[in-house]
Amino acid sequence: MAEVERDPVSGRETTGHEWNGIKELDTPVPRGVLIFLIVTHVWAVIWWFLVPSWPLGATYTKGLLDVDQKTTVEARVIEGQRERASWTTRLESEPYDAILADESLMNVVRSSGRQLFGDNCAACHGRDGRGRANYPDLTDGDWLWGGEPALIEETLRVGINTVHPETRIAQMPAFGRDQMLDREQVRGVAAYVYSLSHADYSTPDNLDRIQAGQEVFATTCAACHGENGEGIRDVGAPNLTDPYWVYGGDLDTIIASVHGGRQGHMPTWDERLTDAEIKTLALYVHDLGMRQP
């Protein structure tokens, strides 16, 4: 029988394993660690019986505590709706003027509306509502169909260029691509439109092209944008005389818009959000523009 080797410093037996001159001591696992492992394993077995855990084909073990996360979440949602009913009922029933005049209710709109906007609108319009490339700024006071809360609500409900039967339509034909205007006419009408918001562009060198473009505008564009280019809200045609543009107001971008056309899109929210949520968003967006002129 081999003699047991002991470590000369600690006096403990060794296991016989050695690495690079270092011998492994046969040290037992601390009792506290063993107790912890035993307790956690016993608790795990008990927990299997207390809560839903094991799949059984099409069902699962329900657990002795009758805990169900689905019903728990549903109960919390119902509780939240009950707590919100005090102000959601007012939002649904009261006119916009009364809500706007009630500062305490508007504070609720700003708080809940900010969350709704972040979850549903910020991806396109930005967290602050100032828009992104090819998506409109909601804070500049420039609106296609009007910025009153009731009009914003209608736009939210039916969307823009959607399958909704009452959808708002926002489409500009591709005058150049579809050969309704030739190259010079496209460049001429773009020059005229550019001059509407850039008075310094009307120089003697550009005057002939601008005048020719004005004639094309009168016969091709005025029906939607108005004789003076100030837009017609009834058809959602934008004002071309101000500094606010969705796709860009530089000359090259205007030429591209006239040539290739534009077609915006906004989803319809009437099947995704409740009436109270839509009205909250309409008030929030309206208030966003009022607070960030």
Side-chain angles (χ1 to χ4, degrees), residues 53-164:
S53 55
W54 292 100
L56 299 173
T59 182
Y60 55 91
T61 57
K62 305 299 182 181
L64 300 177
L65 295 179
D66 195 26
V67 175
D68 188 331
Q69 292 297 323
K70 180 176 182 294
T71 56
T72 300
V73 171
E74 289 175 348
R76 290 180 179 177
V77 169
I78 292 173
E79 181 182 356
Q81 291 173 340
R82 189 181 303 115
E83 293 175 352
R84 297 170 57 200
S86 60
W87 56 269
T88 55
T89 301
R90 292 185 60 190
L91 284 176
E92 291 175 345
S93 60
E94 294 186 15
Y96 279 112
D97 290 343
I99 298 172
L100 290 169
D102 189 330
E103 189 60 26
S104 62
L105 189 53
M106 281 303 298
N107 285 334
V108 175
V109 167
R110 294 181 185 112
S111 176
S112 57
R114 185 174 186 273
Q115 185 65 49
L116 280 171
F117 189 89
D119 291 343
N120 300 284
C121 313
C124 294
H125 296 286
R127 291 288 301 183
D128 56 2
R130 294 188 180 276
R132 302 179 187 275
N134 301 334
Y135 295 97
D137 186 338
L138 303 178
T139 69
D140 57 16
D142 188 56
W143 296 87
L144 297 181
W145 288 277
E148 294 79 9
L151 295 174
I152 298 174
E153 178 186 347
E154 180 66 13
T155 303
L156 287 168
R157 288 189 184 281
V158 303
I160 301 172
N161 293 332
T162 67
V163 296
H164 194 286

Side-chain angles (χ1 to χ4, degrees), residues 13-26:
E13 295 181 0
T14 66
T15 63
H17 299 156
E18 181 177 341
W19 293 272
N20 295 328
I22 301 174
K23 295 182 177 180
E24 180 184 32
L25 300 181
D26 188 11

Side-chain angles (χ1 to χ4, degrees), residues 73-278:
V73 171
E74 289 175 348
R76 290 180 179 177
V77 169
I78 292 173
E79 181 182 356
Q81 291 173 340
R82 189 181 303 115
E83 293 175 352
R84 297 170 57 200
S86 60
W87 56 269
T88 55
T89 301
R90 292 185 60 190
L91 284 176
E92 291 175 345
S93 60
E94 294 186 15
Y96 279 112
D97 290 343
I99 298 172
L100 290 169
D102 189 330
E103 189 60 26
S104 62
L105 189 53
M106 281 303 298
N107 285 334
V108 175
V109 167
R110 294 181 185 112
S111 176
S112 57
R114 185 174 186 273
Q115 185 65 49
L116 280 171
F117 189 89
D119 291 343
N120 300 284
C121 313
C124 294
H125 296 286
R127 291 288 301 183
D128 56 2
R130 294 188 180 276
R132 302 179 187 275
N134 301 334
Y135 295 97
D137 186 338
L138 303 178
T139 69
D140 57 16
D142 188 56
W143 296 87
L144 297 181
W145 288 277
E148 294 79 9
L151 295 174
I152 298 174
E153 178 186 347
E154 180 66 13
T155 303
L156 287 168
R157 288 189 184 281
V158 303
I160 301 172
N161 293 332
T162 67
V163 296
H164 194 286
E166 299 176 8
T167 184
R168 297 199 187 281
I169 303 298
Q171 183 170 5
M172 176 176 157
F175 292 102
R177 187 188 64 205
D178 294 342
Q179 299 181 354
M180 290 181 278
L181 298 176
D182 61 32
R183 182 174 182 274
E184 284 305 310
Q185 287 175 318
V186 168
R187 297 182 68 85
V189 75
Y192 170 70
V193 169
Y194 183 75
S195 71
L196 294 177
S197 56
H198 297 80
D200 57 347
Y201 186 69
S202 298
T203 64
D205 292 340
N206 299 321
L207 193 57
D208 289 342
R209 171 169 283 178
I210 290 173
Q211 289 177 343
Q214 184 176 9
E215 294 176 4
V216 175
F217 185 92
T219 58
T220 307
C221 313
C224 291
H225 294 285
E227 294 181 1
N228 298 320
E230 295 179 352
I232 301 177
R233 283 189 171 181
D234 289 345
V235 297
N239 185 350
L240 304 178
T241 67
D242 60 24
Y244 307 115
W245 298 84
V246 176
Y247 301 100
D250 60 279
L251 184 56
D252 288 341
T253 303
I254 296 174
I255 291 173
S257 296
V258 176
H259 174 81
R262 297 291 184 183
Q263 180 171 332
H265 174 74
M266 190 184 87
T268 171
W269 298 98
D270 63 342
E271 295 182 357
R272 309 187 193 193
L273 302 176
T274 65
D275 291 343
E277 289 172 332
I278 290 177

